[in-house]
Amino acid sequence: MGKFIVLIVTVSLFIPVSESAVLVGKNILSNGGFENRPGGGHEDPRGWGSWNSDLNGIATNEFRSGSQSVYLKCPKTNDVQGVFYVYKKIKPGKEYTFSCYAKNSVSNPVKGNAFGQISIEWQKKAKDKDGKDITVEISRSWGPTFGPELALIKWTPFTMTATAPADTDQASFVIQFFNRGDGDGEFFVDDVEAEELESGKKVKSFLIP
Ligand SMILES: [Ca+2]
């Protein structure tokens, strides 16, 4: 009987852990592998915005999945550039993860005070002075950075988790390259994912030792 009770306690303790280990629910971002680019050439990969052919675009010589990734080149000092995905079905109060894989360039590695960073920009619908529908940023949740130390020969995963503010209508999942001074170089990003967590807070608090 004693062993039976211990077994039940052990099993119930492990249920939340196994749920949290399965952070592979539905990816709410489409085309996170940057393979779908119906226009070819300098067209945006489907679903992704802010394409700038001078500083970023599709890489075909580096990829973690399929045959393409995104390259981001260092902007000029004190500037920033990046790509983003707008997701319009955000649920306020829900927790979201955002992750990608990044790899440094062997031929043109990141140098100086420059780094990549992922973030989530929480947005709200509003009207401008002419009554036109616009979207304004409420706040930004910042994720990990990756600078000159970023690995050259393997893809490194980066992940962040954040809760959507109460009045969020939509969010942009953003990958950027910052140059804070004397920056140079290039990095690649592939297999970008975001996920709405079912019971993130409960699982998280359980995992804190
Ligand atoms: Ca890919």
Side-chain angles (χ1 to χ4, degrees):
M1 187 62 184
K3 274 186 184 169
F4 184 61
I5 290 168
V6 169
L7 182 66
I8 289 173
V9 169
T10 306
V11 167
S12 60
L13 278 174
F14 271 97
I15 286 169
V17 173
S18 58
E19 277 176 355
S20 74
V22 187
L23 290 179
V24 284
K26 185 172 175 281
N27 182 8
I28 60 175
L29 309 186
S30 63
N31 197 24
F34 304 106
E35 302 300 320
N36 188 341
R37 188 177 48 141
H42 293 297
E43 289 293 307
D44 288 11
R46 182 163 281 171
W48 290 82
S50 195
W51 220 239
N52 178 333
S53 60
D54 289 336
L55 293 172
N56 58 47
I58 288 291
T60 53
N61 56 334
E62 296 276 2
F63 44 83
R64 184 175 177 273
S65 67
S67 58
Q68 299 183 157
S69 71
V70 166
Y71 69 82
L72 290 99
K73 290 182 178 173
C74 192
K76 64 182 194 290
T77 292
N78 296 324
D79 214 345
V80 57
Q81 68 108 344
V83 295
F84 63 88
Y85 186 101
V86 176
Y87 182 68
K88 297 188 174 176
K89 295 177 186 169
I90 285 285
K91 294 178 188 159
K94 280 278 188 183
E95 201 171 23
Y96 291 83
T97 63
F98 179 33
S99 62
C100 71
Y101 283 83
K103 183 182 173 299
N104 212 338
S105 165
V106 174
S107 59
N108 185 22
V110 179
K111 297 182 189 79
N113 187 4
F115 55 88
Q117 186 169 25
I118 58 173
S119 62
I120 307 174
E121 183 182 320
W122 308 107
Q123 298 155 347
K124 182 178 166 49
K125 288 175 186 159
K127 301 273 187 190
D128 69 6
K129 58 180 172 49
D130 301 320
K132 199 178 151 202
D133 290 332
I134 56 166
T135 310
V136 295
E137 179 174 340
I138 303 168
S139 63
R140 185 81 77 102
S141 298
W142 293 99
T145 63
F146 33 96
E149 77 290 351
L150 182 63
L152 291 161
I153 54 166
K154 68 179 177 84
W155 291 87
T156 307
F158 295 93
T159 302
M160 65 177 289
T161 305
T163 302
D167 47 354
T168 309
D169 292 316
Q170 67 176 44
S172 284
F173 291 86
V174 188
I175 302 158
Q176 285 171 301
F177 198 154
F178 291 85
N179 183 353
R180 295 274 164 81
D182 301 323
D184 199 3
E186 181 180 9
F187 64 80
F188 304 93
V189 169
D190 204 355
D191 297 330
V192 186
E193 293 191 350
E195 191 177 337
E196 181 186 302
L197 298 182
E198 285 302 324
S199 53
K201 283 191 173 155
K202 205 169 131 195
V203 170
K204 245 180 142 184
S205 61
F206 178 85
L207 287 174
I208 293 169

